[in-house]
Amino acid sequence: MSCLPSAIKLSILSIASSILLLSGCASTVTSNEQSKNLSDLNYALNNMVSNNSCTASFQCKVLEVGARACGGPSKYAVYSTLNTSQEEAEQLAQQITKQENIQNKAQGLTDCSPVLEVQSLCINHQCQSFDIK
């Protein structure tokens, strides 16, 4: 490269610097988009499972949602199959889990606090969760 004129060296250096700078911007945008997408998915799941009315406990289900960096779900969602499609709720929970796994790989270990498993029962015509101890 010492045989190249200084103008060409400067051009090559400028191009390399631009590529490095732009690649950093692209990953930041992707990270922000992932966070927004994860927020949208969580909002959609909360709306989907918001009507927890039931007539019997067999209609009450629990979904494992998300992924903690050190393993296990980040939360549990209780819903009623009387009002919510089990297949759609499970697909949405899987999308959230996939997004959180991607986020965990990008950020590393951030939260390893335990999340207690829950069960659900139909109490007063509402699916309700209770902790398993």
Side-chain angles (χ1 to χ4, degrees), residues 38 42 66-68 74 96-104:
L38 186 56
N42 278 304
R68 291 180 302 141
S74 57
I96 292 169
T97 301
K98 181 180 177 183
Q99 287 296 319
E100 285 191 11
N101 276 323
I102 291 169
Q103 194 174 42
N104 289 339

Side-chain angles (χ1 to χ4, degrees), residues 14-103:
S14 296
I15 292 170
S17 298
S18 297
I19 291 172
L20 285 174
L21 287 172
L22 291 175
S23 67
C25 292
S27 64
T28 303
V29 170
T30 303
S31 177
N32 288 340
E33 287 173 358
Q34 285 176 351
S35 294
K36 183 179 184 301
N37 188 30
L38 186 56
S39 177
D40 291 344
L41 289 170
N42 278 304
Y43 182 78
L45 180 65
N46 289 339
N47 280 341
M48 183 183 288
V49 301
S50 63
N51 184 350
N52 280 340
S53 61
C54 56
T55 57
S57 287
F58 73 87
Q59 296 166 330
C60 299
K61 303 287 182 186
V62 177
L63 280 174
E64 292 184 352
V65 182
R68 291 180 302 141
C70 52
S74 57
K75 65 181 176 181
Y76 292 93
V78 173
Y79 69 100
S80 170
T81 58
L82 183 64
N83 307 301
T84 304
S85 163
Q86 185 171 353
E87 184 177 315
E88 289 177 19
E90 288 173 354
Q91 287 175 352
L92 200 48
Q94 288 172 357
Q95 290 175 341
I96 292 169
T97 301
K98 181 180 177 183
Q99 287 296 319
E100 285 191 11
N101 276 323
I102 291 169
Q103 194 174 42

Side-chain angles (χ1 to χ4, degrees), residues 62 76 115-120 129-133:
V62 177
Y76 292 93
V115 178
L116 296 176
E117 188 175 349
V118 300
Q119 286 190 349
S120 61
S129 67
F130 63 94
D131 295 336
I132 298 173
K133 296 182 181 185

